[in-house]
Amino acid sequence: MIRYTNQAVKEIVTGILIYGFVCTLIILFFVDGGQLLSALAGLALGIFGSAALLLHMTVTLESTVDTMDEHAAKRNAAKSYVIRSVVFIAAFAAAFFSGIFNMLVVLAGLFGLKIGTYLQPLLHKLYQRKNKSNETALDEPGD
């Protein structure tokens, strides 16, 4: 399970980064100079938050499934959810009160987790295709 999970996490993070790149281009095109830094900082925070949430959920899932009985697994998953929620709310509040980040763009960046998850099947197919072409290139004799 860990090998599949690691591959899926790589694909989702790749999707998050693709989403972040597209959002950066949109920000550079549509946002004027006065708000540009705030918008880019907000997007960076949102994208980083998306990746952090994904990694924490992955670690929680692996530790819960692989090492615990049913009762302990439920307790660990609930505890991890509470920790993740409290840290997320505290980070979001700190970003809001700092005045540095455009909070609307932070929220848009956080949607990177959802977009990355939707892109994962497509990216998985692309990775599979790439790996097959690399394997056939290695199998063919060289000149």
Side-chain angles (χ1 to χ4, degrees):
M1 178 177 156
I2 290 177
R3 183 168 186 258
Y4 174 75
T5 303
N6 287 340
Q7 181 65 29
V9 168
K10 288 177 192 176
E11 293 162 355
I12 294 171
V13 169
T14 302
I16 291 170
L17 293 175
I18 290 169
Y19 173 74
F21 179 73
V22 170
C23 287
T24 300
L25 293 177
I26 291 170
I27 287 171
L28 290 173
F29 187 72
F30 287 110
V31 176
D32 63 348
Q35 294 292 317
L36 184 63
L37 186 58
S38 174
L40 289 174
L43 180 64
L45 181 64
I47 294 297
F48 175 77
S50 294
L53 288 171
L54 172 69
L55 294 177
H56 187 264
M57 285 186 269
T58 302
V59 169
T60 299
L61 178 67
E62 286 180 1
S63 68
T64 300
V65 170
D66 291 340
T67 62
M68 298 181 186
D69 64 357
E70 183 178 351
H71 182 68
K74 286 180 182 179
R75 191 173 53 242
N76 184 51
K79 180 182 78 169
S80 294
Y81 170 74
V82 169
I83 290 170
R84 188 170 48 249
S85 297
V86 167
V87 169
F88 173 76
I89 290 169
F92 197 78
F96 177 75
F97 290 116
S98 74
I100 298 170
F101 304 97
N102 182 325
M103 296 310 290
L104 186 61
V105 181
V106 172
L107 287 174
L110 288 170
F111 274 99
L113 180 58
K114 186 170 282 299
I115 302 300
T117 305
Y118 287 141
L119 289 175
Q120 189 271 334
L122 173 66
L123 293 171
H124 182 72
K125 288 179 185 178
L126 292 174
Y127 279 133
Q128 294 289 73
R129 202 173 288 157
K130 179 184 173 202
N131 287 341
K132 285 182 183 178
S133 67
N134 285 344
E135 288 174 6
T136 57
L138 293 175
D139 292 341
E140 295 175 5
D143 291 291

